[in-house]
Amino acid sequence: MSSAEGVIPLCSLDDIGEGRIGSAVLPDGRRVAVYLVDGRAHATDDRCTHGESSLADEGWLDGHVVECGRHMGTFDVRTGQPLGPPCTKALRTYPVEIHAGQVMLARPALPGGGEA
Ligand code: FES
């Protein structure tokens, strides 16, 4: 599978590990946090909606809940919805799938479904 088939490789599963947070940079420069929980991958914007904190660099993952390392706000990585204060705004989520040991982003997730 390649980006020509409608998906964009984000990172290797080896780069993340079960129950951990990885990161990747999209072709448009946005940084996303990539989570591996129970063998399934999830992806959200990396930047906490409460501030400038990187969830991949400063956050903690407990099941499907990521806790921001700066003010301990929490989000559900499956939906991006805030679960605990001070976060009130949802994270953007991205549809991802695992193929051949790689986490892949569906190209329609990009603005306008456009080219990378
Ligand atoms: Fe993430 Fe404040 S910056 S909770």
Side-chain angles (χ1 to χ4, degrees):
M1 190 173 290
S2 72
S3 60
E5 295 172 307
V7 296
I8 297 170
L10 290 181
C11 57
S12 166
L13 289 180
D14 292 339
D15 296 336
I16 308 173
E18 176 66 32
R20 299 183 64 190
I21 312 171
S23 66
V25 178
L26 300 182
D28 67 2
R30 276 177 294 156
R31 191 168 190 242
V32 295
V34 183
Y35 315 88
L36 187 62
V37 182
D38 296 333
R40 295 196 63 186
H42 307 277
T44 70
D45 274 338
D46 179 52
R47 192 171 72 181
C48 177
T49 59
H50 180 250
E52 300 295 319
S53 182
S54 162
L55 296 170
D57 292 344
E58 304 175 53
W60 297 92
L61 187 62
D62 182 6
H64 290 102
V65 178
V66 62
E67 180 179 273
C68 177
R70 188 165 295 181
H71 305 115
M72 313 312 172
T74 52
F75 301 90
D76 188 315
V77 301
R78 297 168 293 188
T79 63
Q81 290 300 309
L83 299 174
C87 303
T88 57
K89 183 178 175 189
L91 294 167
R92 180 176 178 172
T93 59
Y94 300 85
V96 291
E97 60 188 59
I98 297 172
H99 182 78
Q102 295 284 320
V103 179
M104 313 291 279
L105 171 71
R107 189 177 291 270
L110 294 175
E115 292 296 313

